[in-house]
């Protein structure tokens, strides 16, 4: 394919994408296939001679689309949103064309510098403390990770490294293995499973803090304090707490204004995972949900969930970048470049990068020290396109519309005496169930998803099987909500007895 054909095929692909998204609600939202369906539809080996582009495109509908769950259908209400917008898709095209591997400033200066500035733009939208903004005289900054799971792991590894360094500074003769074996981290029993997995990967014990329905499934300060004291009395070393703002089961919010001071007093790293809910904090009415951020060591959320920036784009800020760099810094000769000493080396104080002592501060140049992978894509282009083409007001309007749609669905549920709401509806998620046994609700959900008209997933709250209804698609309107309730869900509940 030469440039001339690429121009022609590129226009055709844009048309195909636009047609797909414009007509997506006409497709069954959930595929009707069995595991292994695809293998029989394509050859066992790659072709020796090239196929034509026309043949490849024909196979999209024949091979791919039958097995696609249509996440951007206005009838998709499962999990949480995954963002989608035309400006972000165009930016991804440009990123793919530039094709840089932005592991350092020298590898692609624009890639490193735009990411730093976009993280500051977004941090200011969220009204983060200046400590987290790179373009200030603070010691922090932001970086784009691939997922919130990665951000949680990166924060945990940085916290582990910091804890070990602090203990060795006061007790140099203590063996490091004797320290790591005593480390203990904490998270809510409502936290995402990736938090527990991070503990497994890091080789540290992770304790789940119990929550109660009466506390709206939020971790309480007194509960954390008690567990810390018990573990210290047992000879363990508490070092990390992952607070969640907007839990996956019910969108619950840990009380970080209580939890933060406890962590600070105990020198415990507090990481805040707001993967879904974080996007809403750009709206003044939802910003109080982030109160207490000033106590955090790191904070993460996913613009690729609810801020119209396509996957993958998970934004992470740290209060002290030296904590992150100290855990991951590697400088082989082949990665060194002429500007690293003049732009973001370290001054005589090894904890303060030189770039932060300059006025104005210069951008970070060592992206590979902020993450687990070495290479990174030019992901900040998506943020740049979306932020400029929607503006803060457009993004706020989008968030508010989804919250209003969730409130509309909540009102429909509350109006039907057979159903009950299982958790507070704060943002775009409604947790509800039929009054009755778990089996009744399991049967209802199975019928809903087997109908392939709308798609939901469940959660468990206080031992109850609960249905989750998350407003997800950019194109969802009130008519889709009403149809999902009256034309799909209620019909499933009424067709015959569920027990």
């Amino acid at each position: 394919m030469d440039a001339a054909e690429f121009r022609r095929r590129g226009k055709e692909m844009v048309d195909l994408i636009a047609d797909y998204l414009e007509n997506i609600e006409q497709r069954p939202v959930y595929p009707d296939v069995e595991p292994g369906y695809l293998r029989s539809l394509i050859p066992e080996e790659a072709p020796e001679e090239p196929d034509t582009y026309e043949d490849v495109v024909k196979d999209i509908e024949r091979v791919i689309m039958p097995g696609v769950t249509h996440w951007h259908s206005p009838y998709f209400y499962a999990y949480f949103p995954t963002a989608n917008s035309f400006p972000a898709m165009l930016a991804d095209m440009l990123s793919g064309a530039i094709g840089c591997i932005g592991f350092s400033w020298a590898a692609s200066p624009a890639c490193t510098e735009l990411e730093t500035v976009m993280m500051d733009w977004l941090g200011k939208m969220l009204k983060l403390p200046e400590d987290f903004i790179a373009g200030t005289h603070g010691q922090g900054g932001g970086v784009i990770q691939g997922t919130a799971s990665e951000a949680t792991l990166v924060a945990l590894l940085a916290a582990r490294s910091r804890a070990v360094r602090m203990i060795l500074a006061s007790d140099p003769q203590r063996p490091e293995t004797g320290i790591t074996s005593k480390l203990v981290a904490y998270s809510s029993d409502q936290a995402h499973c990736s938090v527990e997995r991070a503990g497994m990967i890091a080789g540290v014990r992770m304790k789940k803090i119990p929550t109660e329905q009466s506390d709206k499934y939020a971790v309480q300060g007194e509960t954390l304090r008690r567990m810390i004291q018990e573990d210290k009395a047992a000879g363990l070393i508490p070092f990390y707490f992952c607070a969640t703002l907007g839990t996956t089961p019910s969108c619950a919010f840990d009380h970080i204004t209580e939890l933060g001071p406890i962590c600070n007093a105990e020198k415990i790293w507090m990481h805040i995972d707001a993967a879904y809910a974080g996007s809403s904090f750009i709206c003044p009415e939802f910003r109080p949900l982030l109160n207490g951020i000033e106590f955090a060591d790191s904070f993460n959320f996913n613009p690729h969930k609810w801020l119209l920036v396509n996957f993958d784009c998970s934004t992470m800020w740290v209060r002290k970048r030296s904590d992150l760099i100290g855990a991951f810094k590697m400088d082989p000769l082949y990665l060194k470049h002429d500007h690293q000493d003049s732009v973001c080396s370290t001054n005589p104080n090894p904890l303060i990068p030189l770039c932060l002592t300059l006025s104005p501060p210069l951008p970070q140049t060592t992206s590979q020290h902020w993450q687990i992978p070495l290479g990174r894509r030019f992901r900040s282009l998506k943020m740049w396109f979306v932020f400029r083409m929607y503006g803060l007001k457009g993004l706020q309007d989008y968030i508010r519309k989804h919250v209003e749609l969730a409130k509309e669905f909540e009102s429909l549920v509350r109006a039907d005496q057979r159903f009950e709401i299982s958790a507070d509806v704060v943002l775009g998620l409604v947790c509800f169930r039929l009054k009755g046994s778990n089996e009744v609700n399991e049967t209802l959900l199975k019928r809903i998803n087997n109908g392939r008209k709308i798609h939901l997933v469940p959660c468990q709250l206080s031992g109850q099987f609960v249905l989750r209804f998350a407003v997800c698609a950019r194109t969802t309107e009130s008519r889709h909500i009403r149809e999902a309730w009256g034309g799909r869900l209620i019909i499933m509940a009424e067709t015959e007895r569920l027990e």
Side-chain angles (χ1 to χ4, degrees), residues 44 92 123 140 224 267 339 353 373 437:
E44 287 294 324
D92 244 354
L224 175 62
K267 294 183 172 56
H339 294 282
S437 68

Side-chain angles (χ1 to χ4, degrees), residues 28-299:
V29 65
Y30 193 72
D32 185 13
V33 295
E34 296 296 328
Y37 90 95
L38 190 144
R39 183 174 290 274
S40 64
L41 299 179
I42 60 176
E44 287 294 324
E45 298 177 356
E48 288 195 19
E49 299 296 328
D51 286 341
T52 66
Y53 181 78
E54 289 84 357
D55 287 339
V56 174
V57 171
K58 286 178 185 176
D59 279 349
I60 294 173
E61 202 62 48
R62 183 182 70 87
V63 178
I64 303 302
M65 286 301 174
V68 170
T69 300
H70 299 287
W71 281 63
H72 301 290
S73 167
Y75 298 117
F76 182 92
Y77 304 108
Y79 312 109
F80 276 133
T82 180
N84 178 289
S85 70
F86 294 119
M89 283 185 265
L90 292 173
D92 244 354
M93 289 174 62
L94 179 58
S95 174
I98 293 173
C100 63
I101 310 297
F103 49 75
S104 70
W105 184 87
S108 190
C111 181
T112 295
E113 297 199 16
L114 185 63
E115 180 168 330
T116 305
V117 175
M118 289 302 99
M119 291 299 295
D120 280 2
W121 275 19
L122 185 52
K124 291 172 184 176
M125 291 184 205
L126 297 164
K127 294 183 169 33
L128 294 183
E130 283 198 356
D131 289 349
F132 292 93
I133 307 299
T136 69
H137 293 282
Q139 299 181 34
V143 64
I144 301 175
Q145 305 286 358
T147 64
S149 303
E150 291 176 41
T152 300
L153 176 58
V154 166
L156 180 64
L157 293 173
R160 185 185 68 178
S161 176
R162 186 182 75 172
V164 170
R165 289 198 310 271
M166 289 171 57
I167 294 170
L168 289 177
S170 59
D171 187 5
Q173 302 306 313
R174 188 169 180 176
E176 187 170 326
T177 54
I179 300 172
T180 55
S181 64
K182 298 289 187 181
L183 294 176
V184 58
Y186 307 94
S187 73
S188 166
D189 62 2
Q190 301 293 307
H192 194 271
C193 62
S194 61
V195 180
E196 186 175 4
R197 178 182 289 179
M200 294 170 58
I201 295 171
V204 298
R205 70 190 77 194
M206 179 75 69
K207 291 194 172 185
K208 294 182 179 181
I209 303 172
T211 59
E212 301 292 341
Q213 184 176 14
S214 58
D215 296 321
K216 301 181 180 180
Y217 301 107
V219 171
Q220 304 296 300
E222 192 53 44
T223 309
L224 175 62
R225 181 183 286 109
R226 183 176 64 252
M227 291 184 67
I228 291 171
Q229 295 307 319
E230 290 173 354
D231 286 338
K232 289 172 68 175
L236 299 178
I237 306 171
F239 79 104
Y240 176 88
F241 169 60
C242 180
T244 305
L245 298 180
T247 60
T248 300
S250 65
C251 200
F253 291 80
D254 289 336
H255 296 166
I256 58 175
T257 52
E258 295 179 16
L259 301 164
I262 296 171
C263 291
N264 288 178
E266 297 287 347
K267 294 183 172 56
I268 292 172
W269 183 299
M270 185 169 79
H271 174 68
I272 297 176
D273 172 13
Y276 162 67
S279 295
S280 72
F281 303 155
I282 66 171
C283 299
E285 64 269 33
F286 301 126
R287 176 56 177 79
L289 295 170
L290 188 56
N291 287 352
I293 180 64
E294 63 271 17
F295 300 112
D297 293 279
S298 54
F299 166 67

Side-chain angles (χ1 to χ4, degrees), residues 433-442 465 499:
R433 67 193 305 275
L434 273 170
K435 295 174 182 176
S437 68
N438 286 343
E439 290 73 23
V440 165
N441 285 278
E442 289 174 17
F465 188 92
E499 286 188 298

Side-chain angles (χ1 to χ4, degrees), residues 327-347:
F328 297 103
K329 185 175 176 63
M330 297 289 288
D331 268 328
L333 180 61
Y334 52 79
L335 294 181
K336 293 183 181 295
H337 57 88
D338 292 341
H339 294 282
Q340 66 181 33
D341 291 331
S342 61
V343 180
C344 200
S345 182
T346 55
N347 67 2

Side-chain angles (χ1 to χ4, degrees), residues 316-392:
M316 178 186 184
W317 289 265
V318 290
R319 177 181 299 280
K320 291 183 65 176
R321 66 178 68 192
S322 59
D323 287 335
L324 217 57
I325 294 171
F328 297 103
K329 185 175 176 63
M330 297 289 288
D331 268 328
L333 180 61
Y334 52 79
L335 294 181
K336 293 183 181 295
H337 57 88
D338 292 341
H339 294 282
Q340 66 181 33
D341 291 331
S342 61
V343 180
C344 200
S345 182
T346 55
N347 67 2
N349 182 343
L351 296 182
I352 304 178
L354 178 62
C355 61
L356 297 178
T357 68
L358 303 176
S359 182
L362 292 174
Q364 67 197 51
T365 64
T366 51
S367 301
Q368 76 268 25
H369 302 326
W370 290 61
Q371 60 179 22
I372 294 170
L374 174 63
R376 55 196 299 104
R377 298 189 305 113
F378 203 162
R379 292 178 288 207
S380 58
L381 279 172
K382 294 182 288 191
M383 299 170 71
W384 192 47
F385 274 47
V386 168
F387 294 168
R388 293 184 66 184
M389 296 185 71
Y390 277 89
L392 176 58

